Amino acid sequence: MRAFVYDRPDAVDEAVASVAADPQAAFLAGGTTQLDLMKDGVWTPDRLVDISRLPLRGILVESQQLKVGALTTMEQLAAEPVVAQRLTFVREALLAGATVQLRNMATIGGNLLQRTRCRYFRDPTVAACNRRSPDSGCAAVDGVARMHAVLGVDERCIALHASDVAVPLLAVEASVLVSGPSGQRRIPLSEFWVRADEGPSIENVLGHGDLITEIDVPLLPQGWRSGYLKVRDRASYEFALTSAAVAVQMDGDMIADIRIGLGGVGSVPWRAREAEEMLRGTHVDPVRFEQAGRATMASAFTVPGTAFKVDLAVRTLSRQLITMTEATR
Amino acid sequence: MKTTRSTAPAPTAQDEYTVDVFTVVNGAPVQWRVDTRTTLLEALRDSSGLTGTKRGCDQGACGACTVHVDGARVVSCLMLAAQVDGRQVTTVEGLIDEEGRLHPLQEAFVRHDAFQCGFCTPGQLMSAVCLLREGRAGSDAEIREYMSGNLCRCGAYDNIVAAVREAAGGGA
Ligand SMILES: Cc1cc2nc3c(=O)[nH]c(=O)nc-3n(C[C@H](O)[C@H](O)[C@H](O)COP(=O)(O)OP(=O)(O)OC[C@H]3O[C@@H](n4cnc5c(N)ncnc54)[C@H](O)[C@@H]3O)c2cc1C
Ligand code: SF4
Ligand code: FES
Ligand code: FES
């Protein structure tokens, strides 16, 4: 690992200034992505600004939303009773991710900013990676690509955004509060990540020195039901091949309103708006569920390694729609 | 502030790539002066000689390096030593009581033959102690789910589950 200066400021503005002043500096939260990449030599900051002692930990429950401090850990958020009641799919996605040890370290802010698990990205001895070094090519398109994306990608990069919890957070229209060198701003998650087919080397709209301080998560209205289904190669402790976060408001046999997020398929966490529109105001009908899934996956870009994901994603969504709509009848 | 050093640093010498860490390990105050890159795992093993904590993958994937920080289980290979400054760390060496008796969970591991080579065992124990505290030993399926961060190359899983179940009071 390259030598670095370790800095642990006490205040948000000091942390922002410390990173902003040094183009080679990076924030350190739980470290489960950051230290991993530094060990691999993929990312070699010369200054590490440890934000883990900043007063950004904890959850404020309001009547319509949660204000989640960026340093709240995955385990802490999963343990919040209001999350279990009003954001069931957020809790399920959290507990389906990583392990207790990692979830005790990993912060919600860091989770949204986790880097792709693409094995070629994480191996600096592989030359071709447009995400790591622009215009070098992409080793994954003809390589081992089981854990790669099919939506929001093209032949320049098929990297997957592997977060689980980001999927329901996007579906419920959460936003992040950011403090940066030029002040504070709010960014809805729908505008936060940058798709690989819009620029493989840019992952999100944050600038250097921008610090996420809070994640604001609207609660699902009373009477909604939600759940997260994660399909993977082993039963626990594995990234998703495909996943579906579904929240529904039923009116008898009718889907009055619905939110759908898909994981395991996109270069960014994926909101399935076409599917939502096709299903809103319709009666429960598994045939229609499948059509909605197909419509979402219609724009998929596949390579031999990822081709299976189109059918798997459709079935994952269909199954979760059946579960969510059956349970309310 | 940057200094080049030709000899070993004097005890008070500080360069910007060195940190002083004041922590409590297994109840005793400890001070480490280490390179900023030092992980908690390395400080425990190399600076404090607590070699019970094992290095498996060094990438957060196997759980062999599991310790407790302020009572919560974490993987010490993905944490910097500097991050536990002012915190309480417990390693497998800290599981015995004042009279040197094994923790009931350690006894259960012995009774159930819950290891073969033993390399993963310290991590399994540290994880399982927390699992019991977290109240996640309600069924075998729950134990398996919440122990999934600890891999065992020898495949002692069934016996590990049996030991945890017994320690949880669920009978042998
Ligand atoms: C073995 C393993 C298995 C995993 N499995 C899963 C899984 O199944 N599902 C899943 O969703 N995730 C999984 N993860 C990913 C894990 O959830 C993320 O690594 C973690 O959430 C990142 O949070 P952190 O606090 O550790 O971030 P760090 O590693 O500290 O930071 C991540 C990045 O974000 C930046 N950063 C952190 N916080 C802020 C902030 N507040 N403002 C601005 N920048 C910030 C850092 O500079 C860094 O670039 C796994 C990780 C590992 C190692
Ligand atoms: S998929 Fe993206 S991250 Fe992976 S090798 Fe190709 S360009 Fe790099
Ligand atoms: S050595 Fe830390 S998890 Fe494997
Ligand atoms: S007992 Fe050998 S690795 Fe678990």
Side-chain angles (χ1 to χ4, degrees):
Chain A
M1 207 192 292
R2 181 175 161 196
F4 59 81
V5 175
Y6 175 81
D7 185 15
R8 193 171 61 214
D10 301 317
V12 168
D13 51 348
E14 288 170 32
V16 168
S18 182
V19 167
D22 179 349
Q24 299 300 317
F27 291 118
L28 175 73
T32 61
T33 289
Q34 185 65 45
L35 285 183
D36 206 10
L37 292 174
M38 287 165 64
K39 286 183 178 192
D40 286 343
V42 175
W43 193 357
T44 54
D46 63 14
R47 169 182 297 269
L48 210 47
V49 178
D50 183 352
I51 57 174
S52 64
R53 307 285 170 103
L54 297 180
L56 301 173
R57 204 177 287 267
I59 303 158
L60 190 67
V61 181
E62 297 186 340
S63 61
Q64 316 270 357
Q65 66 169 0
L66 298 182
K67 290 175 174 282
V68 181
L71 295 172
T72 308
T73 66
M74 293 170 73
E75 276 284 299
Q76 285 167 341
L77 186 59
E80 167 58 51
V82 174
V83 174
Q85 292 152 17
R86 297 280 297 277
L87 292 164
T88 313
F89 61 174
V90 170
R91 176 182 157 87
E92 289 178 358
L94 284 165
L95 294 179
T99 64
V100 183
Q101 287 101 309
L102 290 161
R103 298 197 298 264
N104 277 330
M105 304 165 73
T107 64
I108 303 299
N111 188 294
L112 303 178
L113 292 166
Q114 63 179 277
R115 308 294 294 270
T116 184
R117 309 298 299 186
C118 173
R119 60 162 72 175
Y120 306 106
F121 172 80
R122 286 178 175 253
D123 180 353
T125 65
V126 173
C129 175
N130 287 328
R131 185 161 289 243
R132 214 176 346 96
S133 22
D135 300 321
S136 59
C138 171
V141 284
D142 329 293
V144 178
R146 187 169 175 78
M147 305 306 292
H148 286 70
V150 295
L151 295 175
V153 297
D154 59 24
E155 66 294 336
R156 291 173 301 165
C157 177
I158 55 172
L160 176 72
H161 194 292
S163 170
D164 289 298
V165 72
V167 177
L169 289 180
L170 173 71
V172 81
E173 298 181 352
S175 56
V176 294
L177 277 182
V178 175
S179 280
S182 50
Q184 285 199 354
R185 64 195 200 279
R186 173 184 299 279
I187 309 170
L189 285 185
S190 58
E191 294 163 21
F192 182 72
W193 294 285
V194 177
R195 296 160 48 149
D197 58 357
E198 291 167 350
S201 60
I202 310 161
E203 301 203 354
N204 55 60
V205 299
L206 293 185
H208 187 69
D210 278 345
L211 179 78
I212 299 178
T213 55
E214 185 175 295
I215 300 99
D216 289 347
V217 190
L219 296 173
L220 288 168
Q222 298 283 1
W224 283 61
R225 172 173 293 261
S226 70
Y228 186 71
L229 175 64
K230 180 171 177 179
V231 176
R232 43 188 161 171
D233 279 332
R234 55 181 180 187
S236 180
Y237 194 13
E238 183 57 274
F239 288 95
L241 291 169
T242 56
S243 71
V246 173
V248 283
Q249 182 194 25
M250 297 299 291
D251 178 3
D253 193 29
M254 170 102 86
I255 297 171
D257 204 354
I258 187 160
R259 305 270 184 282
I260 303 172
L262 298 179
V265 289
S267 59
V268 299
W270 205 262
R271 175 90 180 260
R273 287 187 188 274
E274 310 85 337
E276 290 176 8
E277 268 153 41
M278 285 176 68
L279 296 171
R280 195 171 289 123
T282 66
H283 289 277
V284 171
D285 175 4
V287 175
R288 201 167 172 86
F289 292 168
E290 180 168 346
Q291 289 166 348
R294 293 263 164 236
T296 304
M297 302 307 292
S299 62
F301 168 89
T302 61
V303 298
T306 57
F308 74 98
K309 284 204 168 180
V310 175
D311 281 347
L312 191 62
V314 171
R315 289 175 192 157
T316 305
L317 176 58
S318 295
R319 191 173 118 194
Q320 187 61 357
L321 286 167
I322 290 169
T323 311
M324 285 296 108
T325 54
E326 256 179 0
T328 55
R329 268 185 285 170
Chain B
M1 175 135 160
K2 194 167 178 172
T3 54
T4 28
R5 46 179 212 230
S6 48
T7 55
T12 51
Q14 268 275 39
D15 67 39
E16 55 186 351
Y17 298 112
T18 306
V19 278
D20 283 319
V21 180
F22 298 89
T23 180
V24 174
V25 180
N26 301 330
V30 169
Q31 183 185 347
W32 296 316
R33 169 161 294 173
V34 287
D35 184 296
T36 53
R37 289 171 286 190
T38 311
T39 60
L40 174 58
L41 172 64
E42 289 162 344
L44 288 169
R45 291 180 57 86
D46 303 339
S47 304
S48 286
L50 293 169
T51 52
T53 307
K54 301 301 180 201
R55 182 203 309 238
C57 63
D58 210 25
Q59 293 220 293
C62 74
C65 65
T66 301
V67 300
H68 304 171
V69 173
D70 288 348
R73 44 175 158 160
V74 299
V75 284
S76 58
C77 67
L78 282 189
M79 189 175 269
L80 293 176
Q83 286 173 287
V84 302
D85 186 46
R87 302 251 148 105
Q88 304 256 352
V89 182
T90 309
T91 68
V92 71
E93 289 89 347
L95 286 187
I96 50 169
D97 67 14
E98 307 81 59
E99 274 109 62
R101 282 182 306 234
L102 293 182
H103 187 282
L105 191 74
Q106 290 174 305
E107 301 274 11
F109 265 60
V110 173
R111 252 193 316 280
H112 287 276
D113 206 9
F115 45 82
Q116 289 174 42
C117 75
F119 194 82
C120 71
T121 312
Q124 302 278 2
L125 288 167
M126 296 313 284
S127 213
V129 166
C130 278
L131 175 145
L132 297 175
R133 257 191 241 145
E134 293 159 9
R136 283 164 161 169
S139 64
D140 284 6
E142 195 179 19
I143 294 170
R144 283 178 190 279
E145 171 61 29
Y146 289 102
M147 287 296 290
S148 73
N150 294 82
L151 306 186
C152 174
R153 294 301 295 266
C154 300
Y157 295 112
D158 287 347
N159 296 357
I160 292 169
V161 171
V164 175
R165 189 200 308 133
E166 184 193 285

